[in-house]
Amino acid sequence: MELTKSIHTDLSRFNTGSYKAGSNWSVLLWYPLNYFIFNSSIPWPYSFKSMLLRLFGASIGKGLIIKTNVRIKNPWRLTIGDNCWIGESAWIDNLDEVKIGSNVCISQGAMLLTGNHDYTQSDFAYRLGKIIIEDGVWIGAQSVVCPGVTCQSHAVLTVNSVATKNLDAWSIYSGNPALYIRQRKISN
């Protein structure tokens, strides 16, 4: 294997490309609220958290349960349907759009990552991709959904798994990278 020694990663050249967090005012106001309200151990009322997310541009359906110590990067790039649960210490790192359908469970410590770095470029620039999580999906505890992934209707990503590719509807995935295990069946 031949190594290229003339080009190196140079983090001093890093730039965000076309990414901009949001308006200066939105970012300035959101970051302290995110820290003291959402990423806090204080169990603030769910309705209060939903109201704050809407105030900052998120589209939030009814019945959102959002537990303590949750981190949300940019609420103005967030859509959440009805009757969703977001567990303790979940992280929605939405440098790009995140769309969550209805009746979705994002379990404890799960991460939705819309951004990564392009390791093929010397300036380590951002590589972004939106995440779509359709109705009825369950993202298991400590799991990761990577940039550009769509989790189709009622898919399951099991505990501590990493979704690097789209998950098919009504299917269960496990592992790193997540692989298809079997069909999901729901009984009454």
Side-chain angles (χ1 to χ4, degrees):
M1 177 169 69
E2 183 180 322
L3 298 176
T4 306
K5 295 183 180 185
S6 61
I7 300 175
H8 302 283
T9 301
D10 183 356
L11 296 180
S12 71
R13 294 183 48 233
F14 170 75
N15 74 67
T16 60
S18 62
Y19 170 74
K20 184 175 181 332
S23 74
N24 290 341
W25 283 108
S26 296
V27 172
L28 184 66
L29 293 172
W30 174 251
Y31 283 15
L33 280 175
N34 187 34
Y35 182 77
F36 289 109
I37 306 294
F38 290 87
N39 193 16
S40 164
S41 296
I42 299 171
W44 296 94
Y46 304 138
S47 59
F48 177 62
K49 292 179 184 179
S50 292
M51 184 266 308
L52 284 175
L53 288 170
R54 287 184 190 105
L55 185 66
F56 279 86
S59 175
I60 305 295
K62 65 179 184 190
L64 174 62
I65 304 292
I66 185 166
K67 296 291 189 164
T68 57
N69 298 308
V70 170
R71 295 168 63 186
I72 299 171
K73 179 83 70 166
N74 297 312
W76 41 90
R77 292 190 179 103
L78 181 61
T79 301
I80 301 176
D82 296 333
N83 307 311
C84 290
W85 298 349
I86 300 176
E88 292 90 348
S89 302
W91 184 8
I92 301 175
D93 191 28
N94 55 337
L95 301 173
D96 202 335
E97 220 175 330
V98 170
K99 292 186 176 185
I100 299 171
S102 294
N103 300 297
V104 169
C105 178
I106 310 291
S107 291
Q108 303 89 330
M111 298 174 68
L112 308 181
L113 303 176
T114 61
N116 204 337
H117 294 277
D118 188 346
Y119 59 84
T120 67
Q121 300 296 314
S122 65
D123 65 359
F124 216 46
Y126 279 154
R127 198 168 24 181
L128 305 177
K130 68 181 175 181
I131 291 175
I132 299 171
I133 299 177
E134 296 180 356
D135 294 348
V137 169
W138 179 14
I139 305 299
Q142 300 293 323
S143 291
V144 178
V145 179
C146 291
V149 169
T150 295
C151 302
Q152 295 178 355
S153 177
H154 292 82
V156 175
L157 183 63
T158 65
V159 171
N160 207 29
S161 295
V162 179
T164 59
K165 296 182 179 171
N166 294 346
L167 306 184
D168 292 334
W170 292 93
S171 297
I172 299 172
Y173 289 81
S174 185
N176 180 6
L179 300 174
Y180 172 82
I181 300 299
R182 65 181 171 276
Q183 284 299 115
R184 178 183 185 183
K185 296 177 183 168
I186 298 177
S187 59
N188 287 335

